[in-house]
Amino acid sequence: MIRYHWNKIVCLVLLWPAVVFGLPQPQEPAIKLESSFILVDAIVLSKKTNSIVGDLTRDDFVLLENGKTQEITHFSQQELPLSVVLLVDVSGSVQPIIDEVQRAALEALGQLKPDDKVALMIFGSRPKLVAELTTDRDVIASKLDDIWSEVTPEIGFATFINAGIHEAARYLRKNTQPTERRAILMVTDDMDTSFFRGGPPRDVVARELYEGGTTLCGIIVGYNKKMMTAVTVGTAGAMTAINPIAGGMLIAMRLMQHLSPLRGSAKFYAEKTGGITVSTKHDEVGIVLIEMLKVLRTRYTLGYAPADLTPDGRFREIKLTVSNRVKKEKGDLTILARRGYYVRKPLTTEPQDDSLRLKKISL
């Protein structure tokens, strides 16, 4: 499996925005998409220059579903509307920089097109929808300004990443049209503190993202990380000195937390859905948030009509690559795109058990 160099992506986002926005956009006739279409958003990166490749055309791509080549019947950049859930971690470790996140988000909204929709959701131990999807930027701005009033005791101070992403992905799937592009832009410290009550497991969250064709991008902020680590280690050490049994249990629980498949990670879900994560200092959140929205807005969008959309519960694998000519001209490329999809069976109610757990799919 290819491991992406996230530090290089930081440089990409911060230093090469002109690569994307200075290039002429491919001129394509407007296409009316039907609900039977599968949309694939893609970011193409040059491994040699660590920059975005923004001058490709429809004929430069090769798209396969379950190993079979598909006809790409839609190709565009910036043409289709984008629906974004801004998912903000308001747990105790992130709260000191919420004011900076507010300012950055307000500025970043200007990067979207008038028909793009934004919703605002916060999460700690539990997620909470603060603002429904809307094209009215003033509504989102007002909710951001008043975000502290939404941080109630029920939200909690822990960081249950799986619960937050799952709720945001489900909200997008249920409140958008099948042909809309969907994305979650998450601001978090990516330090999941869930354990026994951490929400749905990874495979259920991944399936929800796959079914909705939702891309997750994460801005990972660190607030006094060294101090937090010292406090964590110091607490375990102090408990061990006072009560060896209690201290040993605390250390064991922390080790189990790191091994638990329940634990969430923005990096994990971004890799599965064709998104990116960028680690940044709290005073650079604004720059990264603006550039992240630009990248989301200007990805390639490819559409195709699968021969079979029977809701059989099977995973359909998507592989997106480029033609041999492009490989020779551009060199080694990294393509960030969704890895597949499910066709959801019609349901009258959302299942509350593990019936949606993935089968035969290694995450």
Side-chain angles (χ1 to χ4, degrees):
M1 181 185 298
I2 297 174
R3 292 184 177 274
Y4 304 121
H5 299 284
W6 302 109
N7 57 332
K8 294 180 181 179
I9 293 178
V10 174
C11 295
L12 158 72
V13 174
L14 295 179
L15 301 178
W16 278 283
V19 174
V20 180
F21 315 112
L23 291 170
Q25 303 301 323
Q27 298 298 314
E28 294 284 341
I31 298 177
K32 183 179 179 180
L33 295 180
E34 304 296 336
S35 60
S36 59
F37 267 66
I38 299 297
L39 297 180
V40 181
D41 286 323
I43 303 169
V44 183
L45 307 172
S46 169
K47 292 184 180 180
K48 183 178 180 180
T49 63
N50 300 324
S51 61
I52 287 179
V53 178
D55 59 349
L56 301 181
T57 66
R58 182 204 312 255
D59 294 336
D60 293 328
F61 287 95
V62 179
L63 195 155
L64 298 93
E65 180 181 305
N66 289 340
K68 296 181 179 180
T69 302
Q70 305 294 311
E71 180 185 2
I72 300 171
T73 54
H74 173 81
F75 179 84
S76 65
Q77 282 181 289
Q78 303 195 62
E79 180 180 319
L80 297 180
L82 178 66
S83 291
V84 179
V85 170
L86 180 59
L87 182 61
V88 181
D89 179 351
V90 292
S91 62
S93 57
V94 179
Q95 284 191 6
I97 65 167
I98 289 296
D99 289 343
E100 175 63 24
V101 172
Q102 289 173 285
R103 184 200 63 76
L106 288 172
E107 186 175 354
L109 290 177
Q111 305 303 319
L112 296 174
K113 286 191 171 183
D115 56 347
D116 291 336
K117 293 182 288 186
V118 183
L120 178 61
M121 185 178 290
I122 61 176
F123 78 100
S125 306
R126 296 179 180 85
K128 179 180 180 181
L129 182 66
V130 175
E132 298 273 0
L133 279 169
T134 178
T135 57
D136 190 338
R137 305 292 181 256
D138 290 338
V139 170
I140 302 298
S142 175
K143 291 296 184 179
L144 281 167
D145 278 339
D146 199 32
I147 198 170
W148 283 115
S149 66
E150 304 289 344
V151 184
T152 59
E154 289 75 19
I155 296 295
F157 298 99
T159 309
F160 287 10
I161 290 177
N162 279 350
I165 295 176
H166 184 264
E167 185 61 27
R170 184 168 61 173
Y171 173 78
L172 276 173
R173 178 177 55 78
K174 295 174 67 175
N175 293 276
T176 55
Q177 297 300 314
T179 52
E180 289 184 50
R181 297 191 294 164
R182 306 177 182 94
I184 298 170
L185 184 48
M186 185 179 189
V187 182
T188 179
D189 62 1
D190 210 31
M191 296 174 63
D192 192 290
T193 57
S194 63
F195 189 33
F196 295 110
R197 298 183 297 107
R202 277 185 169 184
D203 51 7
V204 173
V205 179
R207 178 159 187 156
E208 186 64 55
L209 290 164
Y210 281 138
E211 287 183 342
T214 301
T215 299
L216 185 130
C217 290
I219 298 176
I220 301 174
V221 293
Y223 178 76
N224 213 346
K225 203 168 186 178
K226 291 183 179 180
M227 182 188 76
M228 289 177 62
T229 302
V231 169
T232 300
V233 174
T235 301
M239 285 194 67
T240 303
I242 297 171
N243 186 328
I245 296 178
M249 289 177 63
L250 178 61
I251 293 172
M253 286 180 65
R254 285 184 180 146
L255 288 173
M256 289 173 66
Q257 278 186 301
H258 286 288
L259 296 174
S260 171
L262 296 176
R263 290 169 61 81
S265 166
K267 293 181 180 179
F268 173 83
Y269 296 115
E271 182 178 339
K272 299 299 177 185
T273 61
I276 58 176
T277 57
V278 174
S279 298
T280 182
K281 298 177 181 178
H282 72 276
D283 56 352
E284 296 174 347
V285 171
I287 297 173
V288 176
L289 188 57
I290 289 171
E291 299 305 328
M292 188 82 80
L293 275 175
K294 287 180 180 179
V295 170
L296 278 174
R297 196 67 195 75
T298 56
R299 294 171 296 170
Y300 297 106
T301 300
L302 302 91
Y304 71 100
D308 180 17
L309 278 175
T310 304
D312 50 19
R314 292 185 295 112
F315 182 78
R316 289 92 185 280
E317 183 182 42
I318 292 175
K319 183 177 181 180
L320 184 64
T321 184
V322 293
S323 66
N324 290 329
R325 180 188 63 80
V326 173
K327 292 177 182 177
K328 291 179 181 179
E329 291 181 359
K330 304 289 187 180
D332 290 338
L333 300 175
T334 295
I335 300 178
L336 306 181
R338 61 191 291 194
R339 296 186 178 184
Y341 69 97
Y342 291 87
V343 181
R344 173 175 281 267
K345 295 181 180 180
L347 296 174
T348 55
T349 57
E350 291 288 338
Q352 299 299 318
D353 53 25
D354 285 343
S355 60
L356 290 183
R357 294 180 65 89
L358 300 187
K359 297 180 180 179
K360 300 181 182 178
I361 299 298
S362 174
L363 296 177

